[in-house]
Amino acid sequence: MTIDWKKEVEARKDDLMKDLIDLLRINSERDDSKVTVDAPFGPGPRDALKHMLAYGERDGFTVKNVDNYAGHIEYGEGDETLGIFGHMDVVPAGDGWSTDPYEPVVKDGKIFARGSSDDKGPSMAAYYALKIIKDLGVPLSKKVRFVVGSDEESGWGDMDYYFQHEEAPDFGFSPDAEFPIINGEKGNITLTLNFKGTNDGEIHLVSFKSGLRENMVPGTATATLTVADEALSAEIEKSFTNFTTAHPVSGTIKVDGTTLAIEVVGKGAHGAHPEAGMNAGTFLALFLDQFDFTSGAKQFLHTAAAYVHEDFYGEKLGVAYEDAKMGKLTMNAGLFSFTEGSDENYIRTNYRYPQGTDADTLVAGLEKTLGAQGATITRGERNMDPHYVPIDDPLVATLLQVYEDHTGQKGFEQIIGGGTYGRLLKRGVAYGAMFPGYTDTMHQANEFMSLDDLFRATVIYADAIYRLAK
């Protein structure tokens, strides 16, 4: 059967864009302060999940909502099931946007909005690919299930719940990364460095805050200080001006007698690529570490400045590791919090680690390096082991062939630090929707997706689903 997939996508471009824009208007950031039985991750993720499932109902698919944790849109029959995994939740919008992150704007051939590239845009491309197959009545020998998640950017509690209630597909892909394919993903764990909230001496760290999520490079950081006299205030103010001149960050300092409020502005980035950002938290700590803080405040600031700052590969922290296939371990410090007198003071560090090392080794390395700094180490709830599907697996081979046929470019395997739903299945990969050479704006201000890439990905997904399930 010969199908002109590009022609079929062209005929549905306007409908695809309308559906995508309506979906992007939903602020689907996780909000734990508004969690209910009906909204396990807050109202935003629930509303976006239900909105996406409603498209499936409108278009005549078999649809199931699994208690507002996740759901699926299904088509076809067969003994095997091809799974496609997308997610409707997004990371917090953060600061620095030129437009409203939840009022999509189309300009210069791109659509700007939070979630446009991660992952509502790619999910809509995959959904319309499946819709085309249904519209055409293409005969399939396998069932196709589009699984829609709502907690991918946080703890993956959506998929934990979903797989407790539904059978896993046999193989599949997630449209949440890059072409030509992602068939390997590093391990992923968050380790928290904990400190006492003690201060004494002539200068006190009253508070220090930076970051939105552990998988984002913090774009801003703030601190409040109190000092012994106004002469010391003036010294710190002058030093801050010199610091922002000498370093690739900006900021403000406000002095009110012996109280100082400082803000540093860096550059956000995806936590899987910490080297692409300017971590405002570690730069602010680097500035403050030159002054005579004591006790827990000193330990907190010195750890951030001397061990965490620009330690993208865990070398200063004593956990560096490199594998010939998967590459280097990476470390992102995504959340910083210190409040004088509090027992909850921490730096949350997120590691993307290759095969050959493990969580126990990372914890032991941190304890050895940071024990003298007064830090204690605690683990996050989730540890994802490294994941790899061989390049000669029929799933990988088929997807690479589809990519080659539609782009004229040679396919190749890739291994990333980012974590996608592709790793949920033993034979699971990530596949698009970003093409080689794209500008990565995921987890950043002014996130966008190229419309040409959006429609081209839809063509590839339609052919890929057909070849895998025909």
Side-chain angles (χ1 to χ4, degrees):
M1 182 180 229
T2 301
I3 301 171
D4 187 340
W5 300 109
K6 186 174 181 180
K7 177 182 176 182
E8 298 298 336
V9 172
E10 286 284 338
R12 294 165 176 81
K13 284 169 61 174
D14 291 345
D15 291 341
L16 189 160
M17 285 297 296
K18 180 182 183 304
D19 285 349
L20 176 57
I21 287 171
D22 287 346
L23 186 61
L24 289 168
R25 286 192 170 116
I26 301 172
N27 179 340
S28 52
E29 299 173 15
R30 176 170 172 161
D31 188 346
D32 290 340
S33 70
K34 296 180 180 178
V35 165
T36 65
V37 173
D38 182 60
F41 309 111
R46 174 202 62 196
D47 292 348
L49 169 65
K50 295 176 73 172
H51 193 96
M52 187 71 205
L53 295 178
Y55 288 151
E57 293 174 345
R58 176 198 66 189
D59 296 329
F61 288 97
T62 299
V63 175
K64 184 172 184 179
N65 183 334
V66 184
D67 299 330
N68 290 335
Y69 280 81
H72 63 240
I73 297 167
E74 227 171 44
Y75 177 68
E77 296 293 337
D79 294 334
E80 286 188 286
T81 300
L82 164 64
I84 304 166
F85 290 81
H87 67 89
M88 296 297 104
D89 61 307
V90 297
V91 296
D95 301 320
W97 286 77
S98 300
T99 59
D100 183 338
Y102 295 108
E103 185 52 50
V105 172
V106 177
K107 62 179 180 180
D108 301 326
K110 307 177 181 73
I111 183 165
F112 291 81
R114 176 56 90 218
S116 55
S117 63
D118 185 17
D119 181 41
K120 293 176 181 176
S123 289
M124 191 59 65
Y127 172 74
Y128 261 79
L130 182 57
K131 183 178 184 300
I132 289 169
I133 288 173
K134 180 180 179 298
D135 289 348
L136 297 178
V138 175
L140 303 180
S141 65
K142 300 177 180 67
K143 184 183 294 183
V144 183
R145 182 187 301 166
F146 183 78
V147 181
V148 186
S150 65
D151 189 40
E152 194 270 353
E153 298 292 2
S154 297
W156 289 32
D158 55 345
M159 291 295 105
D160 289 341
Y161 190 89
Y162 180 82
F163 285 119
Q164 289 170 7
H165 295 79
E166 301 293 324
E167 291 186 5
D170 297 284
F171 62 102
F173 67 87
S174 175
D176 191 20
E178 305 168 13
F179 288 118
I181 203 166
I182 304 296
N183 58 316
E185 298 182 11
K186 294 177 183 177
N188 187 329
I189 190 170
T190 293
L191 301 175
T192 301
L193 319 181
N194 304 282
F195 302 87
K196 295 179 180 179
T198 49
N199 271 303
D200 52 52
E202 293 188 340
I203 180 168
H204 280 218
L205 181 63
V206 178
S207 69
F208 187 114
K209 301 290 181 184
S210 183
L212 298 169
R213 295 274 177 85
E214 55 259 35
N215 61 353
M216 301 172 68
V217 177
T220 61
T222 60
T224 301
L225 320 177
T226 57
V227 298
D229 53 54
E230 293 188 6
L232 183 53
S233 293
E235 177 188 342
I236 294 173
E237 182 178 25
K238 180 180 179 181
S239 180
F240 185 72
T241 301
N242 294 335
F243 181 85
T244 54
T245 300
H247 294 86
V249 293
S250 60
T252 58
I253 183 167
K254 296 179 181 179
V255 179
D256 183 7
T258 57
T259 299
L260 299 90
I262 305 173
E263 179 181 41
V264 166
V265 178
K267 177 187 175 184
H270 195 300
H273 302 287
E275 73 284 356
M278 294 292 174
N279 193 313
T282 65
F283 272 103
L284 179 53
L286 184 68
F287 168 69
L288 294 175
D289 191 44
Q290 65 186 297
F291 300 104
D292 292 328
F293 292 90
T294 61
S295 305
K298 176 65 177 179
Q299 293 166 343
F300 172 86
L301 293 171
H302 186 66
T303 297
Y307 295 94
V308 177
H309 179 63
E310 295 188 336
D311 190 32
F312 306 128
Y313 307 110
E315 294 163 341
K316 290 183 285 186
L317 287 169
V319 295
Y321 189 84
E322 184 172 3
D323 171 72
K325 181 176 283 290
M326 287 193 161
K328 292 183 178 182
L329 170 150
T330 62
M331 185 281 299
N332 177 59
L335 288 168
F336 299 76
S337 181
F338 184 96
T339 302
E340 185 175 23
S342 171
D343 293 329
E344 295 289 329
N345 307 288
Y346 55 80
I347 304 170
R348 290 208 174 117
T349 54
N350 180 247
Y351 302 83
R352 313 298 173 101
Y353 62 92
Q355 55 192 4
T357 189
D358 55 34
D360 290 342
T361 301
L362 299 183
V363 171
L366 291 178
E367 289 176 342
K368 180 179 179 181
T369 301
L370 299 178
Q373 301 303 316
T376 59
I377 315 301
T378 55
R379 305 187 189 204
E381 294 181 359
R382 177 176 291 273
N383 172 38
M384 299 180 183
D385 294 326
H387 173 76
Y388 180 71
V389 183
I391 194 170
D392 58 358
D393 185 285
L395 169 67
V396 177
T398 299
L399 293 177
L400 286 177
Q401 188 61 57
V402 173
Y403 171 81
E404 293 178 0
D405 290 346
H406 287 278
T407 65
Q409 299 181 14
K410 180 66 177 175
F412 51 90
E413 70 173 352
Q414 294 184 97
I415 296 167
I416 61 169
T420 76
Y421 282 156
R423 72 193 304 149
L424 288 166
L425 305 177
K426 183 177 181 181
R427 294 183 61 224
V429 300
Y431 190 54
M434 306 306 159
F435 289 85
Y438 79 101
T439 301
D440 185 359
T441 56
M442 295 181 183
H443 295 201
Q444 300 175 47
N446 301 313
E447 178 184 347
F448 71 81
M449 184 166 186
S450 159
L451 297 185
D452 285 344
D453 287 354
L454 177 68
F455 300 133
R456 186 163 50 148
T458 308
V459 172
I460 290 175
Y461 289 147
D463 196 5
I465 294 168
Y466 171 62
R467 295 196 204 184
L468 291 170
K470 68 180 181 179

